[in-house]
Amino acid sequence: GENVEQHPSTLSVQEGDSAVIKCTYSDSASNYFPWYKQELGKRPQLIIDIRSNVGEKKDQRIAVTLNKTAKHFSLHITETQPEDSAVYFCAASLPGSSYKLIFGSGTRLLVRP
Amino acid sequence: GAVVSQHPSRVICKSGTSVKIECRSLDFQATTMFWYRQFPKKSLMLMATSNEGSKATYEQGVEKDKFLINHASLTLSTLTVTSAHPEDSSFYICSAPSTTGGWETQYFGPGTRLLVL
């Protein structure tokens, strides 16, 4: 089955710097890759997603890149702010369903003021 | 946007009792819903897929007799933790896919924190 690996597990950056989180997946048939932000005790919130027919997608300070050949995708946050501090999860859809997601292990991002 | 609710938000129960958690899609219909389990500082682990009108599909290693799932309508799925034990204590989150906005996206409920004493 699909396996998603995420790195790093923790990331500390200075406010204003960029943060990059990387994920790899095992099943080349996966075609949907969302990123979720989860604050302590809260539900995961979708922040950006990308589909396999696109190599890059950007939404203001957040961007995601996808390399299908290498089976990895990355989240880029620029001009980080303290409110970006949270746990970020990548996920990949299983073949045959864009709904069923397998999650990475999460990255705890701390943005220092 | 699509809204998913869960009830209760937290529950404390005695070992051996059963607990029912509800997941509702408030402004859209969902023929499929998903149940996840999350331990402190860990990732979301997919437990099962809830299918309206048919049996749930469980992931490997998840006991279907322990975690009963019923998808009673197009807006409601329930997860019942039967004969709960302390090791069942966890954060349970449901999700439902919606095509709101033109793309398929999965929306999560707020989660239910279960503590079994």
Side-chain angles (χ1 to χ4, degrees), chain B residues 86-110:
Chain B
E87 57 265 30
D88 298 324
S89 299
S90 190
F91 192 50
Y92 292 88
I93 310 178
C94 68
S95 71
S98 171
T99 55
T100 302
W103 289 102
E104 300 163 347
T105 303
Q106 199 165 139
Y107 294 91
F108 284 85

PDB file of all heavy atoms in Angstrom, chain B residues 86-110:
ATOM      1  N   PRO B  86      -8.682   1.447  28.294  1.00  0.00           N
ATOM      2  CA  PRO B  86      -7.800   2.623  28.343  1.00  0.00           C
ATOM      3  C   PRO B  86      -6.954   2.818  27.082  1.00  0.00           C
ATOM      4  O   PRO B  86      -6.709   3.957  26.678  1.00  0.00           O
ATOM      5  CB  PRO B  86      -6.939   2.347  29.575  1.00  0.00           C
ATOM      6  CG  PRO B  86      -7.841   1.573  30.480  1.00  0.00           C
ATOM      7  CD  PRO B  86      -8.642   0.681  29.560  1.00  0.00           C
ATOM      8  N   GLU B  87      -6.574   1.735  26.429  1.00  0.00           N
ATOM      9  CA  GLU B  87      -5.743   1.879  25.223  1.00  0.00           C
ATOM     10  C   GLU B  87      -6.528   2.435  24.035  1.00  0.00           C
ATOM     11  O   GLU B  87      -5.934   2.789  22.998  1.00  0.00           O
ATOM     12  CB  GLU B  87      -5.106   0.541  24.838  1.00  0.00           C
ATOM     13  CG  GLU B  87      -6.073  -0.587  24.615  1.00  0.00           C
ATOM     14  CD  GLU B  87      -6.260  -1.440  25.859  1.00  0.00           C
ATOM     15  OE1 GLU B  87      -6.134  -0.907  26.981  1.00  0.00           O
ATOM     16  OE2 GLU B  87      -6.548  -2.641  25.691  1.00  0.00           O
ATOM     17  N   ASP B  88      -7.855   2.509  24.186  1.00  0.00           N
ATOM     18  CA  ASP B  88      -8.676   3.123  23.138  1.00  0.00           C
ATOM     19  C   ASP B  88      -8.731   4.635  23.277  1.00  0.00           C
ATOM     20  O   ASP B  88      -9.268   5.330  22.391  1.00  0.00           O
ATOM     21  CB  ASP B  88     -10.098   2.558  23.172  1.00  0.00           C
ATOM     22  CG  ASP B  88     -10.145   1.068  22.911  1.00  0.00           C
ATOM     23  OD1 ASP B  88      -9.335   0.583  22.092  1.00  0.00           O
ATOM     24  OD2 ASP B  88     -10.962   0.371  23.550  1.00  0.00           O
ATOM     25  N   SER B  89      -8.191   5.143  24.362  1.00  0.00           N
ATOM     26  CA  SER B  89      -8.168   6.592  24.558  1.00  0.00           C
ATOM     27  C   SER B  89      -7.369   7.237  23.441  1.00  0.00           C
ATOM     28  O   SER B  89      -6.232   6.847  23.163  1.00  0.00           O
ATOM     29  CB  SER B  89      -7.532   6.927  25.909  1.00  0.00           C
ATOM     30  OG  SER B  89      -8.276   6.362  26.973  1.00  0.00           O
ATOM     31  N   SER B  90      -7.992   8.210  22.798  1.00  0.00           N
ATOM     32  CA  SER B  90      -7.349   8.821  21.635  1.00  0.00           C
ATOM     33  C   SER B  90      -8.208   9.978  21.150  1.00  0.00           C
ATOM     34  O   SER B  90      -9.263  10.269  21.714  1.00  0.00           O
ATOM     35  CB  SER B  90      -7.197   7.782  20.518  1.00  0.00           C
ATOM     36  OG  SER B  90      -6.380   8.266  19.474  1.00  0.00           O
ATOM     37  N   PHE B  91      -7.735  10.625  20.104  1.00  0.00           N
ATOM     38  CA  PHE B  91      -8.477  11.687  19.421  1.00  0.00           C
ATOM     39  C   PHE B  91      -9.013  11.071  18.132  1.00  0.00           C
ATOM     40  O   PHE B  91      -8.237  10.597  17.303  1.00  0.00           O
ATOM     41  CB  PHE B  91      -7.521  12.847  19.132  1.00  0.00           C
ATOM     42  CG  PHE B  91      -8.166  14.128  18.695  1.00  0.00           C
ATOM     43  CD1 PHE B  91      -9.219  14.677  19.406  1.00  0.00           C
ATOM     44  CD2 PHE B  91      -7.703  14.804  17.581  1.00  0.00           C
ATOM     45  CE1 PHE B  91      -9.808  15.880  19.013  1.00  0.00           C
ATOM     46  CE2 PHE B  91      -8.277  16.010  17.180  1.00  0.00           C
ATOM     47  CZ  PHE B  91      -9.332  16.541  17.893  1.00  0.00           C
ATOM     48  N   TYR B  92     -10.331  11.033  17.997  1.00  0.00           N
ATOM     49  CA  TYR B  92     -10.950  10.438  16.814  1.00  0.00           C
ATOM     50  C   TYR B  92     -11.493  11.561  15.925  1.00  0.00           C
ATOM     51  O   TYR B  92     -12.238  12.434  16.385  1.00  0.00           O
ATOM     52  CB  TYR B  92     -12.081   9.488  17.219  1.00  0.00           C
ATOM     53  CG  TYR B  92     -11.571   8.254  17.937  1.00  0.00           C
ATOM     54  CD1 TYR B  92     -11.396   8.251  19.324  1.00  0.00           C
ATOM     55  CD2 TYR B  92     -11.242   7.094  17.234  1.00  0.00           C
ATOM     56  CE1 TYR B  92     -10.905   7.133  19.979  1.00  0.00           C
ATOM     57  CE2 TYR B  92     -10.757   5.969  17.889  1.00  0.00           C
ATOM     58  CZ  TYR B  92     -10.588   6.002  19.262  1.00  0.00           C
ATOM     59  OH  TYR B  92     -10.104   4.887  19.909  1.00  0.00           O
ATOM     60  N   ILE B  93     -11.112  11.537  14.672  1.00  0.00           N
ATOM     61  CA  ILE B  93     -11.522  12.581  13.732  1.00  0.00           C
ATOM     62  C   ILE B  93     -12.175  11.947  12.511  1.00  0.00           C
ATOM     63  O   ILE B  93     -11.674  10.951  11.979  1.00  0.00           O
ATOM     64  CB  ILE B  93     -10.327  13.426  13.244  1.00  0.00           C
ATOM     65  CG1 ILE B  93      -9.479  13.928  14.404  1.00  0.00           C
ATOM     66  CG2 ILE B  93     -10.797  14.612  12.412  1.00  0.00           C
ATOM     67  CD1 ILE B  93      -8.261  14.718  13.964  1.00  0.00           C
ATOM     68  N   CYS B  94     -13.254  12.534  12.087  1.00  0.00           N
ATOM     69  CA  CYS B  94     -13.881  12.058  10.860  1.00  0.00           C
ATOM     70  C   CYS B  94     -13.637  13.078   9.752  1.00  0.00           C
ATOM     71  O   CYS B  94     -13.278  14.232  10.015  1.00  0.00           O
ATOM     72  CB  CYS B  94     -15.373  11.849  11.037  1.00  0.00           C
ATOM     73  SG  CYS B  94     -16.310  13.370  11.278  1.00  0.00           S
ATOM     74  N   SER B  95     -13.810  12.644   8.544  1.00  0.00           N
ATOM     75  CA  SER B  95     -13.721  13.564   7.406  1.00  0.00           C
ATOM     76  C   SER B  95     -14.709  13.147   6.338  1.00  0.00           C
ATOM     77  O   SER B  95     -15.146  11.988   6.292  1.00  0.00           O
ATOM     78  CB  SER B  95     -12.304  13.587   6.827  1.00  0.00           C
ATOM     79  OG  SER B  95     -12.025  12.379   6.147  1.00  0.00           O
ATOM     80  N   ALA B  96     -15.053  14.091   5.504  1.00  0.00           N
ATOM     81  CA  ALA B  96     -15.972  13.822   4.401  1.00  0.00           C
ATOM     82  C   ALA B  96     -15.512  14.597   3.177  1.00  0.00           C
ATOM     83  O   ALA B  96     -15.099  15.753   3.296  1.00  0.00           O
ATOM     84  CB  ALA B  96     -17.394  14.225   4.776  1.00  0.00           C
ATOM     85  N   PRO B  97     -15.563  13.972   2.019  1.00  0.00           N
ATOM     86  CA  PRO B  97     -15.160  14.673   0.800  1.00  0.00           C
ATOM     87  C   PRO B  97     -16.310  15.496   0.246  1.00  0.00           C
ATOM     88  O   PRO B  97     -17.473  15.107   0.332  1.00  0.00           O
ATOM     89  CB  PRO B  97     -14.793  13.534  -0.152  1.00  0.00           C
ATOM     90  CG  PRO B  97     -15.653  12.391   0.300  1.00  0.00           C
ATOM     91  CD  PRO B  97     -15.868  12.563   1.779  1.00  0.00           C
ATOM     92  N   SER B  98     -15.944  16.606  -0.331  1.00  0.00           N
ATOM     93  CA  SER B  98     -16.941  17.470  -0.952  1.00  0.00           C
ATOM     94  C   SER B  98     -16.355  18.067  -2.218  1.00  0.00           C
ATOM     95  O   SER B  98     -15.147  18.295  -2.298  1.00  0.00           O
ATOM     96  CB  SER B  98     -17.353  18.587   0.002  1.00  0.00           C
ATOM     97  OG  SER B  98     -18.167  19.539  -0.664  1.00  0.00           O
ATOM     98  N   THR B  99     -17.208  18.313  -3.174  1.00  0.00           N
ATOM     99  CA  THR B  99     -16.747  18.942  -4.401  1.00  0.00           C
ATOM    100  C   THR B  99     -17.079  20.433  -4.402  1.00  0.00           C
ATOM    101  O   THR B  99     -17.090  21.074  -5.426  1.00  0.00           O
ATOM    102  CB  THR B  99     -17.363  18.279  -5.639  1.00  0.00           C
ATOM    103  OG1 THR B  99     -18.793  18.291  -5.496  1.00  0.00           O
ATOM    104  CG2 THR B  99     -16.896  16.858  -5.775  1.00  0.00           C
ATOM    105  N   THR B 100     -17.322  20.976  -3.218  1.00  0.00           N
ATOM    106  CA  THR B 100     -17.582  22.412  -3.102  1.00  0.00           C
ATOM    107  C   THR B 100     -16.433  23.188  -3.715  1.00  0.00           C
ATOM    108  O   THR B 100     -15.279  22.956  -3.403  1.00  0.00           O
ATOM    109  CB  THR B 100     -17.727  22.808  -1.624  1.00  0.00           C
ATOM    110  OG1 THR B 100     -18.783  22.048  -1.042  1.00  0.00           O
ATOM    111  CG2 THR B 100     -18.043  24.283  -1.501  1.00  0.00           C
ATOM    112  N   GLY B 101     -16.742  24.090  -4.582  1.00  0.00           N
ATOM    113  CA  GLY B 101     -15.683  24.863  -5.221  1.00  0.00           C
ATOM    114  C   GLY B 101     -15.184  24.228  -6.490  1.00  0.00           C
ATOM    115  O   GLY B 101     -14.272  24.745  -7.136  1.00  0.00           O
ATOM    116  N   GLY B 102     -15.739  23.099  -6.872  1.00  0.00           N
ATOM    117  CA  GLY B 102     -15.376  22.493  -8.146  1.00  0.00           C
ATOM    118  C   GLY B 102     -14.357  21.386  -8.069  1.00  0.00           C
ATOM    119  O   GLY B 102     -14.188  20.614  -9.007  1.00  0.00           O
ATOM    120  N   TRP B 103     -13.622  21.309  -6.957  1.00  0.00           N
ATOM    121  CA  TRP B 103     -12.628  20.267  -6.807  1.00  0.00           C
ATOM    122  C   TRP B 103     -12.974  19.396  -5.628  1.00  0.00           C
ATOM    123  O   TRP B 103     -13.562  19.837  -4.658  1.00  0.00           O
ATOM    124  CB  TRP B 103     -11.236  20.877  -6.573  1.00  0.00           C
ATOM    125  CG  TRP B 103     -10.664  21.545  -7.777  1.00  0.00           C
ATOM    126  CD1 TRP B 103     -10.609  22.875  -8.021  1.00  0.00           C
ATOM    127  CD2 TRP B 103     -10.057  20.914  -8.901  1.00  0.00           C
ATOM    128  NE1 TRP B 103     -10.017  23.114  -9.234  1.00  0.00           N
ATOM    129  CE2 TRP B 103      -9.668  21.929  -9.799  1.00  0.00           C
ATOM    130  CE3 TRP B 103      -9.808  19.581  -9.252  1.00  0.00           C
ATOM    131  CZ2 TRP B 103      -9.031  21.658 -11.014  1.00  0.00           C
ATOM    132  CZ3 TRP B 103      -9.170  19.308 -10.458  1.00  0.00           C
ATOM    133  CH2 TRP B 103      -8.794  20.339 -11.310  1.00  0.00           C
ATOM    134  N   GLU B 104     -12.558  18.154  -5.699  1.00  0.00           N
ATOM    135  CA  GLU B 104     -12.777  17.230  -4.597  1.00  0.00           C
ATOM    136  C   GLU B 104     -11.802  17.570  -3.471  1.00  0.00           C
ATOM    137  O   GLU B 104     -10.588  17.604  -3.685  1.00  0.00           O
ATOM    138  CB  GLU B 104     -12.548  15.789  -5.064  1.00  0.00           C
ATOM    139  CG  GLU B 104     -13.486  15.374  -6.190  1.00  0.00           C
ATOM    140  CD  GLU B 104     -12.996  14.132  -6.910  1.00  0.00           C
ATOM    141  OE1 GLU B 104     -11.831  13.751  -6.707  1.00  0.00           O
ATOM    142  OE2 GLU B 104     -13.763  13.564  -7.686  1.00  0.00           O
ATOM    143  N   THR B 105     -12.346  17.824  -2.308  1.00  0.00           N
ATOM    144  CA  THR B 105     -11.521  18.160  -1.150  1.00  0.00           C
ATOM    145  C   THR B 105     -12.079  17.444   0.054  1.00  0.00           C
ATOM    146  O   THR B 105     -13.284  17.254   0.176  1.00  0.00           O
ATOM    147  CB  THR B 105     -11.546  19.679  -0.903  1.00  0.00           C
ATOM    148  OG1 THR B 105     -11.095  20.350  -2.076  1.00  0.00           O
ATOM    149  CG2 THR B 105     -10.630  20.047   0.248  1.00  0.00           C
ATOM    150  N   GLN B 106     -11.198  17.050   0.944  1.00  0.00           N
ATOM    151  CA  GLN B 106     -11.643  16.353   2.146  1.00  0.00           C
ATOM    152  C   GLN B 106     -11.669  17.344   3.304  1.00  0.00           C
ATOM    153  O   GLN B 106     -10.676  18.029   3.574  1.00  0.00           O
ATOM    154  CB  GLN B 106     -10.704  15.183   2.454  1.00  0.00           C
ATOM    155  CG  GLN B 106     -11.321  14.169   3.368  1.00  0.00           C
ATOM    156  CD  GLN B 106     -10.563  12.857   3.398  1.00  0.00           C
ATOM    157  OE1 GLN B 106     -10.413  12.300   4.460  1.00  0.00           O
ATOM    158  NE2 GLN B 106     -10.073  12.364   2.281  1.00  0.00           N
ATOM    159  N   TYR B 107     -12.814  17.388   3.983  1.00  0.00           N
ATOM    160  CA  TYR B 107     -13.011  18.304   5.104  1.00  0.00           C
ATOM    161  C   TYR B 107     -13.113  17.507   6.401  1.00  0.00           C
ATOM    162  O   TYR B 107     -13.792  16.477   6.457  1.00  0.00           O
ATOM    163  CB  TYR B 107     -14.277  19.138   4.897  1.00  0.00           C
ATOM    164  CG  TYR B 107     -14.160  20.082   3.725  1.00  0.00           C
ATOM    165  CD1 TYR B 107     -14.555  19.683   2.453  1.00  0.00           C
ATOM    166  CD2 TYR B 107     -13.633  21.358   3.895  1.00  0.00           C
ATOM    167  CE1 TYR B 107     -14.422  20.539   1.362  1.00  0.00           C
ATOM    168  CE2 TYR B 107     -13.506  22.222   2.821  1.00  0.00           C
ATOM    169  CZ  TYR B 107     -13.899  21.807   1.566  1.00  0.00           C
ATOM    170  OH  TYR B 107     -13.766  22.648   0.493  1.00  0.00           O
ATOM    171  N   PHE B 108     -12.448  18.000   7.418  1.00  0.00           N
ATOM    172  CA  PHE B 108     -12.386  17.286   8.682  1.00  0.00           C
ATOM    173  C   PHE B 108     -13.352  17.847   9.713  1.00  0.00           C
ATOM    174  O   PHE B 108     -13.626  19.045   9.747  1.00  0.00           O
ATOM    175  CB  PHE B 108     -10.962  17.347   9.251  1.00  0.00           C
ATOM    176  CG  PHE B 108     -10.013  16.413   8.551  1.00  0.00           C
ATOM    177  CD1 PHE B 108      -9.375  16.796   7.382  1.00  0.00           C
ATOM    178  CD2 PHE B 108      -9.784  15.132   9.052  1.00  0.00           C
ATOM    179  CE1 PHE B 108      -8.515  15.921   6.717  1.00  0.00           C
ATOM    180  CE2 PHE B 108      -8.920  14.259   8.400  1.00  0.00           C
ATOM    181  CZ  PHE B 108      -8.292  14.650   7.238  1.00  0.00           C
ATOM    182  N   GLY B 109     -13.841  16.947  10.560  1.00  0.00           N
ATOM    183  CA  GLY B 109     -14.595  17.365  11.719  1.00  0.00           C
ATOM    184  C   GLY B 109     -13.647  17.875  12.793  1.00  0.00           C
ATOM    185  O   GLY B 109     -12.428  17.741  12.661  1.00  0.00           O
ATOM    186  N   PRO B 110     -14.193  18.441  13.868  1.00  0.00           N
ATOM    187  CA  PRO B 110     -13.347  19.007  14.931  1.00  0.00           C
ATOM    188  C   PRO B 110     -12.717  17.980  15.842  1.00  0.00           C
ATOM    189  O   PRO B 110     -11.875  18.320  16.665  1.00  0.00           O
ATOM    190  CB  PRO B 110     -14.324  19.899  15.705  1.00  0.00           C
ATOM    191  CG  PRO B 110     -15.642  19.267  15.478  1.00  0.00           C
ATOM    192  CD  PRO B 110     -15.603  18.704  14.095  1.00  0.00           C
TER     193      PRO B 110
END
